[in-house]
Amino acid sequence: MSGFSADWLTLREPYDLRARNPTVLDNVAALLEPFSSVRIVDLACGTGSTLRALSPLLPARQNWKLIDNDLGLLARATATPLAKQVTVTAVPLDLNRDLEAALDGPVDLVATSALLDLVSQTWLDRLAVEIATRAIPLYAALSYDGRIALTPSDPQDTAIAAAVNAHQRTDKGFGPALGPAAAGYAIARFEALGYSVVQGESDWMLGPNDHDMQSEVLTGWAGAAHDIGAMSLADTTAWLARRRDAVAAGSSSLRVGHVDFFAIPSGTR
Ligand SMILES: C[S@@+](CC[C@H](N)C(=O)[O-])C[C@H]1O[C@@H](n2cnc3c(N)ncnc32)[C@H](O)[C@@H]1O
């Protein structure tokens, strides 16, 4: 068990799919278009959201290596209905310990989503060096970048957002997490290693009808604010109650900032 429930990953998948930056996706598809077959490693695949988002955009013959340390999520990912020439192999690995093993063998693309904000600077440095040594392109989607916009506004929103962003930097199993700084740091790191990078926003846009997703996100934020000890339980609970009332009344919208990028080794554009 990783602490990421299949229910949560299933709830967020359509919002992730809508948010994925189309320019970044176009660049991934264009680079791989000439390949007669592609070998993709999906780091921290969860239930297979990246497989489902990317597979229809790639050449027909695909071999995916799906990596996660949660066997239940891996089992769901491999149950994804696939086109005839797409094969998947599930590889249970702890990416903090066994990153190098995950990248073993011939690989045309490393893909990941909603992972980089969980990892430490040390681990991201290691990822960048391991990928650059092999001259593999990296598609990294949906890294949370710290931007939160709530409608209607509430006097406690700023304090909650600050607490959420502080919580994002706590250890998620890879050392102190980069949290909102992850995508910016990763992009700079790959550019320093000679990669060119295409990047773009991939924000969640949650409207008044997205009750379940809004409730889940707001509850998670209240929990994070409480866990980090930045706000009193009374203030956090009162904020959540006001926000839930707005969700129930159909007057609440959220925008949650994310960044996608595609890092391309020099000589492959
Ligand atoms: C936020 S979820 C993202 C899942 C999927 N990529 C998606 O976009 O829906 C983070 C994923 O990282 C996995 N994970 C967390 N720590 C890990 C580790 N040390 N090794 C391998 N996977 C890990 C979790 O099991 C989970 O599937």
Side-chain angles (χ1 to χ4, degrees):
M1 258 295 291
S2 62
F4 293 93
S5 77
D7 286 349
W8 162 239
L9 297 182
T10 301
L11 177 63
R12 64 174 283 174
E13 182 167 348
Y15 298 94
D16 286 341
L17 187 61
R18 219 175 296 153
R20 285 176 190 266
N21 187 279
T23 305
V24 174
L25 281 173
D26 284 351
N27 275 269
V28 177
L31 188 85
L32 295 176
E33 202 260 341
F35 287 56
S36 56
S37 69
V38 281
R39 297 153 299 193
I40 307 120
V41 173
D42 181 359
L43 301 177
C45 64
T47 64
S49 172
T50 296
L51 166 68
R52 287 181 287 276
L54 206 53
S55 182
L57 309 178
L58 300 181
R61 289 181 58 202
Q62 302 166 25
N63 174 254
W64 287 74
K65 194 157 93 173
L66 304 177
I67 316 272
D68 209 283
N69 66 345
D70 185 317
L71 295 181
L73 297 180
L74 268 179
R76 282 178 184 251
T78 52
T80 299
L82 297 167
K84 223 170 46 213
Q85 297 186 74
V86 179
T87 60
V88 300
T89 312
V91 183
L93 277 182
D94 175 354
L95 284 168
N96 187 37
R97 201 186 53 202
D98 296 325
L99 169 63
E100 294 74 12
L103 301 173
D104 268 358
V107 179
D108 302 307
L109 175 73
V110 174
T112 193
S113 56
L115 173 69
L116 298 189
D117 47 31
L118 304 177
V119 308
S120 63
Q121 184 171 319
T122 305
W123 191 87
L124 199 39
D125 286 340
R126 192 171 140 210
L127 175 73
V129 167
E130 291 299 330
I131 287 181
T133 303
R134 296 166 173 79
I136 308 170
L138 169 68
Y139 168 61
L142 297 154
S143 301
Y144 171 66
D145 72 358
R147 290 175 295 121
I148 290 175
L150 302 105
T151 307
S153 66
D154 182 283
Q156 294 286 1
D157 288 346
T158 307
I160 290 278
V164 167
N165 288 339
H167 190 272
Q168 286 280 321
R169 292 180 175 277
T170 58
D171 191 336
K172 310 293 190 306
F174 294 85
L178 280 161
Y185 181 81
I187 289 166
R189 197 73 191 85
F190 277 96
E191 285 176 340
L193 288 163
Y195 276 58
S196 54
V197 177
V198 180
Q199 61 176 300
E201 291 180 354
S202 52
D203 298 355
W204 284 344
M205 311 291 275
L206 311 184
N209 292 327
D210 300 319
H211 288 207
D212 290 350
M213 183 66 174
Q214 285 206 39
S215 295
E216 202 60 30
V217 169
L218 293 165
T219 305
W221 285 349
H226 177 244
D227 284 354
I228 200 111
M231 289 171 67
S232 73
L233 185 57
D235 281 350
T236 311
T237 315
W239 174 85
L240 183 58
R242 290 192 296 277
R243 295 246 65 112
R244 279 193 168 146
D245 287 348
V247 172
S251 60
S252 172
S253 301
L254 303 185
R255 180 175 184 143
V256 184
H258 294 92
V259 173
D260 292 357
F261 71 88
F262 182 40
I264 307 149
S266 56
T268 51
R269 276 196 109 174

